Amino acid sequence: MKNPRRVEHQQTGRGYVPVYATGTVEQPWASYSKTDHDVWDTLYSRQRALLPAYACQEFLDGVERFGLGDGGIPRFDDLNRVLGAATGWEVVAVEGLLPDEVFFDHLAHRRFPVSWWIRRPDQLDYLSEPDLFHDLFGHVPLLLNPVFADYMQAYGKGGMKAHAIGPEALMNLTRLYWYTVEFGLIRTDAGLRIYGAGIVSSKSESIYSIDSTAPNRIGFDLARVMNTRYRIDSHQQTYFVIDDFAQLFDATAADFTPVYAQLARGQAVAAAEVLPTDTVFHRGSREGFVSGGDN
């Protein structure tokens, strides 16, 4: 086995630029240091204490089924026995960010890429790229849910089509991933709850996404989501709310080509904007928002 690298963004005169890896590696579990395991335990304990009041039950159930709090960084092989039996997915170890087409191919074949390395102790509260904790704790528990697992595979297949169509279609699909898989909220009998991995793996955004009066919380609509810019430098200015995971899966059933064509004829919506046609759960106060810089 080759020694896996830790592939991260690089600082240049133009700011941080992403550096991509392509292949899969074996999880080098024996080489994790005590510090690595301590970082996992610290992050896990912090989020597990917080999330019962914020995360959806499907996510919490997945965390318990995997035993992610048994102590130290989990072994991917152990997780795959549980995951494969439940939904036919598997975790594969990667060195860092993957090119779009490689990532989509993994999802389309029910493989979820997880960065093998974990952040340093001084990065507990922020990291510019996804590490093992974000990828594993944030994403993998919901892959035990059959409907969400099918949505993720459908997204991967859609991504391969979008990549072939062109960059504008790819951006539309990226926004869908961002506002659902990474930063999505869901309606429950207990109120709005988190399911997005970018939120559940972050203490500050877990609290902000549900409790803050600043951001908008708007009902999910496929074309609206695909046409909405997002923030990578702050908490989100808008969160989209699904009714249930079946709504997500149903949204991926149709061919997106007509949607891409429709959106290409108009202008993208700013991250903070609320439209007259929106179903508004909460219109944000916009406190602390900055203008410009949307993706």
Side-chain angles (χ1 to χ4, degrees):
M1 182 189 78
K2 71 171 185 175
N3 291 324
R5 303 169 298 157
R6 173 176 174 148
V7 179
E8 301 180 71
H9 283 61
Q10 290 183 352
Q11 177 69 53
T12 72
R14 295 179 289 115
Y16 281 103
V17 296
V19 179
Y20 294 99
T22 54
T24 60
V25 296
E26 292 292 327
Q27 183 192 22
W29 196 88
S31 69
Y32 290 128
S33 67
K34 181 180 184 303
T35 298
D36 292 333
H37 288 295
D38 287 346
V39 165
W40 172 274
D41 290 341
T42 298
L43 290 168
Y44 174 86
S45 297
R46 190 168 73 176
Q47 290 305 102
R48 193 62 185 86
L50 176 71
L51 288 176
Y54 292 94
C56 67
Q57 193 59 48
E58 292 90 340
F59 174 83
L60 298 173
D61 289 345
V63 170
E64 293 304 316
R65 285 176 68 182
F66 275 132
L68 297 183
D70 290 348
I73 295 171
R75 295 176 184 265
F76 293 178
D77 287 345
D78 292 340
L79 301 180
N80 281 337
R81 282 190 284 273
V82 178
L83 187 55
T87 59
W89 276 76
E90 66 173 320
V91 169
V92 294
V94 297
E95 296 175 311
L97 288 173
L98 299 175
D100 290 332
E101 63 272 26
V102 176
F103 180 67
F104 294 144
D105 182 73
H106 280 302
L107 298 188
H109 291 90
R110 297 179 91 86
R111 300 186 299 262
F112 193 83
V114 172
S115 297
W116 69 265
W117 52 269
I118 196 163
R119 68 194 72 181
R120 301 186 306 269
D122 63 313
Q123 297 172 315
L124 288 181
D125 293 314
Y126 179 74
L127 190 66
S128 60
E129 56 264 295
D131 71 332
L132 186 150
F133 186 77
H134 169 269
D135 288 345
L136 183 51
F137 181 86
H139 284 284
V140 176
L142 274 182
L143 291 176
L144 290 171
N145 179 278
V147 180
F148 189 81
D150 287 346
Y151 169 69
M152 290 293 286
Q153 182 178 30
Y155 182 89
K157 291 179 178 178
M160 296 172 74
K161 293 179 182 177
H163 190 268
I165 293 171
E168 289 188 359
L170 194 57
M171 175 53 73
N172 294 148
L173 201 68
T174 298
R175 291 170 180 153
L176 177 63
Y177 190 90
W178 187 268
Y179 279 120
T180 61
V181 178
E182 291 290 356
F183 292 97
L185 301 181
I186 186 170
R187 283 204 301 171
T188 75
D189 292 340
L192 298 187
R193 291 292 183 265
I194 303 159
Y195 72 92
I199 313 178
V200 296
S201 59
S202 165
K203 178 181 178 181
S204 62
E205 192 141 10
S206 293
I207 297 169
Y208 176 89
S209 66
I210 299 297
D211 291 345
S212 175
T213 60
N216 307 308
R217 300 177 184 91
I218 295 172
F220 175 87
D221 174 86
L222 178 67
R224 168 72 159 99
V225 170
M226 284 185 163
N227 201 38
T228 304
R229 299 182 184 274
Y230 58 87
R231 309 292 306 192
I232 62 171
D233 58 350
S234 67
H235 294 330
Q236 298 308 298
Q237 297 177 346
T238 294
Y239 297 94
F240 288 95
V241 182
I242 61 171
D243 295 327
D244 51 35
F245 293 126
Q247 183 183 19
L248 275 185
F249 181 69
D250 291 345
T252 64
D255 182 5
F256 288 166
T257 304
V259 182
Y260 298 145
Q262 171 196 337
L263 296 180
R265 293 192 291 269
Q267 295 292 318
V269 179
E273 190 170 349
V274 177
L275 302 180
T277 52
D278 288 337
T279 300
V280 180
F281 290 92
H282 172 79
R283 184 183 293 268
S285 68
R286 304 167 66 101
E287 181 180 358
F289 282 9
V290 295
S291 59
D294 295 355
N295 282 283

